[in-house]
Amino acid sequence: MGRVEGKIAIVTGAAKGIGAASAKALAREGAKVICTDLDETVGEALAAEIQRTGGEAVFARHDVVDESQWERVTKLAEDRYGGLHIVVNNAGIAPEGRPIEDKPLAEWRHTLAVDLDSVFLGCKHGIRTIKMTTAKGGSGSIINISSILGLVGSANASDYVAAKGGVRLLTKAAALECAEAGYRIRVNSVHPGYIDTPMVRAVVDRGMPGLGVSGNEMVQFLTMLHPIGRLGAAEEIANTVLFLASDESSFTTGTELVVDGGYTSR
Ligand code: NAP
């Protein structure tokens, strides 16, 4: 028996990085996974790879800021697999760094929409669907991917830290609502340090031209921030997602699981 055998999961932003690793880990451990993303080519390839290796997955194009698309994706879970137990609210963006005084309001709003509104929508439609699936038995889990930058601040990332800090407390509100309503749904947030994914590679490639910092120096700089002496791997976050998705975490709700190589311990 896999650790999430028979459960049905939606993973957003599943084409790459942490989302792809989480979708693979859930499928490997027996879940049926709806992989969603904007990137159809890579998303379809991921679902096909999961199928090829003996797992069950389907891809759906899904913009996480669009409520009608959440309705479509949760309906897909019900129609194709018979319900829903797990939502991993993972899709997100890291905008180019800019001080508050230079940040256009439109950029702020876009980041808040993709990194925070999406998690609200994922909780809303996740709770509605999971509570029906689990009404007669079983349990559900919503996992919201925040960041170390939802716990501590960072210059030139006001929109990102505001969104990720919002995800942290939105998670606790959702956890309390589910517990107090008697739903069998746990809701937790995950706070990764810097993880080697396309998102971080883009940050590294940009460097910090204003400060004369190159891409190579940027990797060294980011590595130094992690006492463990390296950046994380997407699979290390996927392992945390798997734990929170499984019944192994049956008494864990409203918590913030920090997976950061010691970044926030200093
Ligand atoms: P990634 O490599 O950029 O992958 C994110 C995926 O989400 C991409 O496939 C992206 O598609 C998709 N996406 C973006 N906007 C979307 C939208 N509106 N609707 C649906 N899908 C969308 O990112 P990652 O590093 O794996 O990060 C995943 C999550 O972890 C994010 O929430 C991020 O903030 C968080 N996180 C990451 C790190 C890190 O160091 N990597 C650290 C802390 C927290 P496109 O590529 O087509 O845009």
Side-chain angles (χ1 to χ4, degrees):
M1 283 284 280
R3 292 165 65 189
V4 285
E5 196 71 42
K7 291 186 188 277
I8 301 149
I10 293 172
V11 180
T12 71
K16 311 187 187 85
I18 292 168
S22 299
K24 285 188 204 172
L26 289 166
R28 189 191 68 226
E29 294 296 332
K32 300 175 174 75
V33 186
I34 298 181
C35 306
T36 86
D37 204 287
L38 292 176
D39 189 334
E40 292 181 63
T41 311
V42 182
E44 294 279 10
L46 176 85
E49 183 191 335
I50 290 174
Q51 295 272 8
R52 247 193 336 273
T53 52
E56 177 55 42
V58 66
F59 173 76
R61 191 186 187 281
H62 172 207
D63 184 342
V64 287
V65 303
D66 182 336
E67 184 156 20
S68 66
Q69 295 189 29
W70 271 104
E71 284 161 1
R72 193 170 46 75
V73 164
T74 47
K75 186 162 183 317
L76 175 65
E78 290 178 308
D79 292 349
R80 187 175 174 109
Y81 295 128
L84 183 67
H85 301 93
I86 299 161
V87 175
V88 185
N89 284 308
N90 166 76
I93 53 168
E96 205 165 323
R98 225 189 282 279
I100 292 170
E101 58 189 315
D102 295 336
K103 188 165 285 286
L105 181 58
E107 190 174 293
W108 162 275
R109 286 189 171 144
H110 180 61
T111 307
L112 269 285
V114 180
D115 287 353
L116 179 58
D117 294 2
S118 66
V119 181
F120 162 74
L121 291 173
C123 289
K124 176 175 171 177
H125 292 278
I127 291 168
R128 284 181 176 183
T129 315
I130 297 171
K131 83 173 181 197
M132 289 192 293
T133 308
T134 56
K136 293 203 180 104
S139 66
S141 173
I142 298 178
I143 300 141
N144 296 330
I145 307 299
S146 176
S147 170
I148 45 171
L149 300 185
L151 300 170
V152 298
S154 180
N156 301 322
S158 55
D159 44 1
Y160 188 78
V161 300
K164 293 298 186 181
V167 169
R168 173 178 170 265
L169 284 181
L170 165 63
T171 299
K172 293 182 196 302
L176 292 172
E177 286 183 22
C178 289
E180 288 169 12
Y183 302 155
R184 297 191 181 95
I185 309 173
R186 296 172 293 98
V187 191
N188 295 287
S189 57
V190 177
H191 299 260
Y194 282 85
I195 309 300
D196 186 4
T197 66
M199 176 185 280
V200 160
R201 269 171 248 146
V203 169
V204 164
D205 288 347
R206 284 202 292 263
M208 291 192 283
L211 298 174
V213 177
S214 69
N216 268 351
E217 289 164 333
M218 192 74 186
V219 175
Q220 286 167 15
F221 171 69
L222 293 179
T223 300
M224 267 169 37
L225 298 174
H226 298 76
I228 217 163
R230 61 177 174 83
L231 304 189
E235 291 70 23
E236 293 176 301
I237 306 305
N239 288 338
T240 306
V241 168
L242 187 55
F243 166 69
L244 290 173
S246 77
D247 295 340
E248 293 158 23
S249 57
S250 51
F251 199 54
T252 306
T253 198
T255 201
E256 44 199 69
L257 239 164
V258 183
V259 191
D260 70 349
Y263 184 112
T264 52
S265 295
R266 284 204 170 108

